[in-house]
Amino acid sequence: EFFTAGKVQANITSSGTIQALRDGGTTFGPALELKHQRGSIASPTIVNSGDTIGMVKSTVYDGTAYIDGSRMRIDNQGKVQIGTTAEAQAFGDDRKSLTIRSTSGGHYATLQLSGHADSNDQIHGLINFYNETTSVARISSIQESNTSDAYLNFFTAPSGGGILERMRITGSGRLGVGEVSPDTRFHVRHNSDNNIVAKFEHSEATPEGIHITFSGGNPDGTSANFLECADTGTTRLRIQSDGDVLNHDNAYGSLSDE
């Protein structure tokens, strides 16, 4: 127990938890308060930008002497650095950041989110983006079919609307845009009338278009198609692997070159 002014102000429980008086000095609870000022305790002065407010500090023995082994720093702007004392890139005093750095050659920093999903569609972890208190975007990892797989989904919010899933990458690597159950490697779905589903544009003076390549074989026949266009009724256009072009009406028109 720790006393000041003849009164217990803090204690350490048998389980090792540090507690301090809370709620106006009537109850104990876990607490950690870090303060910093320039000047003296009797005559404090304002802190400077970049001053350390709090630090988880340790000392390590290097074989000769004990040296500073500090691992985490919180500065007076609320920015947190782990493994370093500076941001990797400063975006401004009032822009908060978490910097994790490894300084050893060949090593790297990691950010790990670990959940406990025990059934399908439970979340392992997520990153949520807010504008004040409004959620506007999200990335989450979710159990797909068993405890060793996952899919990633990506959410955004339109103007004046709620957050909605826009893209999903399944555990098997299929990508769905506007589609939560992609049945091909790349599946795009649009559910708004009179809007183009996809657009490919080349903005340079010497363009190239779309190349479709069978890199593992040479079917050269009618059993594999380079392109197929269909509606709810039937297939309307097909380009086969032998180069033949078939259309539903067996009719070919022309476009003006003007």
Side-chain angles (χ1 to χ4, degrees), residues 238-256:
R238 180 183 295 138
I239 302 177
Q240 297 176 163
S241 60
D242 60 1
D244 288 351
V245 180
L246 293 77
N247 70 75
H248 180 265
D249 298 330
N250 196 29
Y252 299 88
S254 63
L255 295 173
S256 171

Side-chain angles (χ1 to χ4, degrees), residues 12 19 37 39-40 50-51 70 105 109 179 187 189 214 220 225 253:
I12 302 177
Q19 297 187 122
Q37 82 285 322
S40 64
D51 278 0
S70 301
E179 173 58 54
H187 189 161
R189 180 186 293 272
F214 294 159
D220 188 21
N225 301 317

Side-chain angles (χ1 to χ4, degrees), residues 79-109:
K79 300 174 183 180
V80 180
Q81 295 99 38
I82 299 175
T84 181
T85 58
E87 294 178 279
Q89 180 176 347
F91 290 96
D93 285 347
D94 198 39
R95 294 186 170 98
K96 310 309 178 189
S97 69
L98 168 63
T99 302
I100 306 174
R101 183 182 181 189
S102 174
T103 57
S104 301
H107 295 277
Y108 49 86

Side-chain angles (χ1 to χ4, degrees), residues 16-230:
T17 300
I18 300 176
Q19 297 187 122
L21 280 179
R22 300 171 59 183
D23 304 322
T26 59
T27 60
F28 279 98
L32 176 63
E33 183 177 15
L34 304 172
K35 293 183 177 180
H36 174 70
Q37 82 285 322
R38 286 181 174 263
S40 64
I41 295 177
S43 301
T45 58
I46 191 169
V47 297
N48 290 341
S49 176
D51 278 0
T52 299
I53 298 299
M55 180 180 291
V56 177
K57 186 172 183 179
S58 62
T59 56
V60 295
Y61 189 69
D62 67 356
T64 304
Y66 285 95
I67 61 173
D68 185 2
S70 301
R71 294 295 181 257
M72 186 173 75
R73 175 178 180 266
I74 306 171
D75 69 20
N76 69 316
Q77 296 293 330
K79 300 174 183 180
V80 180
Q81 295 99 38
I82 299 175
T84 181
T85 58
E87 294 178 279
Q89 180 176 347
F91 290 96
D93 285 347
D94 198 39
R95 294 186 170 98
K96 310 309 178 189
S97 69
L98 168 63
T99 302
I100 306 174
R101 183 182 181 189
S102 174
T103 57
S104 301
H107 295 277
Y108 49 86
T110 66
L111 178 62
Q112 301 183 51
L113 305 179
S114 177
H116 187 85
D118 54 12
S119 62
N120 296 346
D121 297 321
Q122 288 190 345
I123 297 173
H124 303 123
L126 60 84
I127 301 174
N128 222 338
F129 301 87
Y130 286 84
N131 182 18
E132 297 294 340
T133 59
T134 302
S135 177
V136 295
R138 180 189 308 153
I139 304 171
S140 56
S141 170
I142 300 176
Q143 180 173 313
E144 188 169 44
S145 62
N146 58 67
T147 56
S148 63
D149 69 8
Y151 63 85
L152 289 176
N153 54 6
F154 300 78
F155 293 74
T156 61
S159 178
I163 190 169
L164 295 171
E165 182 177 352
R166 307 299 185 182
M167 185 173 73
R168 178 177 296 198
I169 304 174
T170 69
S172 61
R174 292 177 176 177
L175 172 62
V177 178
E179 173 58 54
V180 298
S181 300
D183 55 12
T184 58
R185 183 64 69 182
F186 182 41
H187 189 161
V188 180
R189 180 186 293 272
H190 202 317
N191 58 5
S192 178
D193 287 337
N194 303 313
N195 281 282
I196 297 173
V197 175
K199 180 178 181 179
F200 300 90
E201 180 177 349
H202 196 302
S203 60
E204 297 300 321
T206 55
E208 285 283 347
I210 299 173
H211 289 206
I212 300 175
T213 304
F214 294 159
S215 61
N218 179 27
D220 188 21
T222 61
S223 62
N225 301 317
F226 283 119
L227 179 69
E228 183 168 309
C229 303

